Amino acid sequence: MNKIPLIGLTEKELQDVAVSLGMPRFVGRQIAQWIYQKGATGFEEMANLSKKNKMLLEEQYCVGRIAPTASQKSVDGTVKYLFPVAGGRQVESVYIPDKDRATLCVSSQSGCKMNCYFCATGKMGFKSQLTAAEIINQILSIPPVPAKGEAPMAPLTNVVFMGMGEPLDNFGAVSRVIEILTAPWGLAWSPKRITVSTVGKLPELKDLLEKTQVHVAISVHTADSRERASMMPAQKAFPLQSVMQLLSGYDFSHQRRLSLEYIMWKGVNDDIAHANQLIRLIGNLDCRVNLIRYHAIEGIDLKPCTEERMIMFRNVLNQHGITATIRTSRGEDIMAACGMLANKTKH
């Protein structure tokens, strides 16, 4: 019999599990603490549960933690992990250490429906939605316990939903994971440690803005509607102007941050005219722009623009009062950089 994983369940659901097995409700709270706060991987670790209750849980349930099956380390310290998910599939997560931060780039789907022209994950097509258990497992399992003699890796400080898949196309599972990450009974993180990246899928974007306080990143890449539609089919269903109109109704001037992601391609979207289009699109919206170097993908006839062009583009935005930065590329040598996740290994 396949046992039911408990990770991915809320405190209330864990209390319901306890009650269904004839235990007091408080046992569910204890299980939540062991799983989410103490990092337990099995019932035997849960010291304040009785032997009888552990045996009852073992009959039908498991904690559900699954270690990554493989990893690759970049020359820059970035590590890409491979996790098994249902259906014999695998997804990738990327651990990015940077001074006093350690960020995990998390996958929310196997493959992706959005089919953006420039993205390796999109070229896979859509395979499956990840469950909340499969998503939170990536977060709970990274960094792994070091092997004997190995130095421990820095604990996670931030999570970004920027891995495989469109997070808002799996909003039910993603919002549940956000609840687990931020709830007092869960990991008790500040929502400011979490960023959700999206092409701008409506109306789920509105739900994310209303129901959470996490940071939001919008994949823009060009402010030209026709050009964007040719690169990103989602533009037809969720026009960028509609997305920006929705965003304009929210306050990003305090702790919550809005970022616009802008991959730069040589001779496509890297000139002054495109910078000015982006400036007009932003208007008075309080946001920052992340300029991202394109990472070449096999079979795609796009090239990264020059560093000089990126600096020029950034400076034009800065001169118009828009905070723009050039994102440092990480993990390209192990195919872990932005847009490269497709369960492929570079040797």
Side-chain angles (χ1 to χ4, degrees):
M1 182 186 82
N2 288 331
K3 294 184 179 181
I4 302 164
L6 295 182
I7 59 169
L9 297 186
T10 65
E11 182 185 57
K12 182 183 180 305
E13 289 167 336
L14 290 169
Q15 289 175 327
D16 291 343
V17 167
V19 170
S20 73
L21 295 174
M23 305 173 193
R25 290 192 73 81
F26 71 79
V27 174
R29 289 198 299 274
Q30 292 173 327
I31 295 169
Q33 289 173 344
W34 280 107
I35 292 175
Y36 298 128
Q37 296 172 8
K38 299 179 182 178
T41 58
F43 298 122
E44 70 281 358
E45 299 169 51
M46 301 182 184
N48 57 354
L49 268 63
S50 69
K51 186 175 180 181
K52 177 187 174 186
N53 285 347
K54 290 176 188 177
M55 289 176 63
L56 285 169
L57 285 162
E58 285 277 9
E59 287 176 8
Q60 298 181 47
Y61 297 95
C62 61
V63 169
R65 284 273 297 275
I66 301 172
T69 54
S71 66
Q72 272 186 294
K73 189 169 185 178
S74 164
V75 293
D76 64 27
T78 299
V79 186
K80 182 170 72 171
Y81 292 94
L82 199 62
F83 282 95
V85 295
R89 300 185 179 93
Q90 296 175 312
V91 296
E92 294 172 330
S93 303
V94 182
Y95 174 88
I96 309 165
D98 184 20
K99 297 175 186 172
D100 58 346
R101 291 164 63 97
T103 300
L104 188 68
C105 185
V106 177
S107 292
S108 54
Q109 296 179 314
S110 173
C112 185
K113 297 178 189 175
M114 299 301 112
N115 194 27
C116 295
Y117 179 68
F118 47 84
C119 179
T121 308
K123 299 301 165 199
M124 293 173 61
F126 176 72
K127 307 300 182 186
S128 65
Q129 303 282 23
L130 299 193
T131 64
E134 290 167 337
I135 298 171
I136 196 72
N137 179 63
Q138 297 168 63
I139 299 165
L140 296 175
S141 300
I142 301 299
V145 176
K148 191 174 181 180
E150 281 187 0
M153 296 164 68
L156 296 181
T157 61
N158 299 80
V159 163
V160 292
F161 287 87
M162 293 183 184
M164 302 172 78
E166 161 57 54
L168 297 191
D169 196 42
N170 190 13
F171 184 63
V174 168
S175 61
R176 175 183 286 258
V177 171
I178 292 170
E179 181 185 359
I180 293 167
L181 287 172
T182 57
W185 49 261
L187 276 70
W189 279 23
S190 163
K192 310 308 180 290
R193 295 170 64 179
I194 305 163
T195 301
V196 175
S197 177
T198 175
V199 298
K201 190 170 187 291
L202 306 171
E204 289 85 356
L205 177 57
K206 187 175 192 302
D207 286 343
L208 180 74
L209 292 164
E210 294 283 346
K211 295 174 181 177
T212 78
Q213 284 297 313
V214 299
H215 297 316
V216 178
I218 305 295
S219 299
V220 174
H221 312 315
T222 175
D224 183 296
S225 297
R226 283 184 295 181
E227 200 169 70
R228 191 170 188 263
S230 71
M231 294 275 195
M232 303 172 65
Q235 166 69 15
K236 294 165 187 169
F238 315 112
L240 188 54
Q241 289 290 356
S242 300
V243 173
M244 298 301 280
Q245 186 176 355
L246 172 66
L247 293 168
S248 68
Y250 294 85
D251 183 6
F252 297 101
S253 63
H254 299 293
Q255 286 186 307
R256 188 177 211 179
R257 189 170 67 237
L258 171 65
S259 303
L260 305 185
E261 310 285 285
Y262 196 98
I263 296 174
M264 298 191 69
W265 300 289
K266 183 178 180 180
V268 176
N269 64 345
D270 62 347
D271 56 21
I272 292 285
H274 280 85
N276 287 330
Q277 276 185 305
L278 185 58
I279 290 163
R280 289 194 294 273
L281 176 75
I282 292 170
N284 295 320
L285 188 62
D286 201 313
C287 67
R288 63 180 63 192
V289 176
N290 290 325
L291 302 177
I292 303 167
R293 186 168 67 82
Y294 173 62
H295 304 103
I297 295 166
E298 188 178 347
I300 303 300
D301 57 348
L302 293 168
K303 294 182 172 61
C305 78
T306 64
E307 186 75 11
E308 291 76 16
R309 277 277 179 167
M310 294 188 80
I311 292 169
M312 176 276 296
F313 203 98
R314 178 198 65 192
N315 291 347
V316 170
L317 296 178
N318 289 167
Q319 287 159 14
H320 284 78
I322 297 167
T323 300
T325 56
I326 298 171
R327 183 187 289 171
T328 303
S329 182
R330 299 290 301 267
E332 185 173 7
D333 59 318
I334 58 168
M335 300 188 74
C338 181
M340 298 185 83
L341 299 184
N343 291 347
K344 293 181 181 178
T345 301
K346 192 171 184 178
H347 298 285

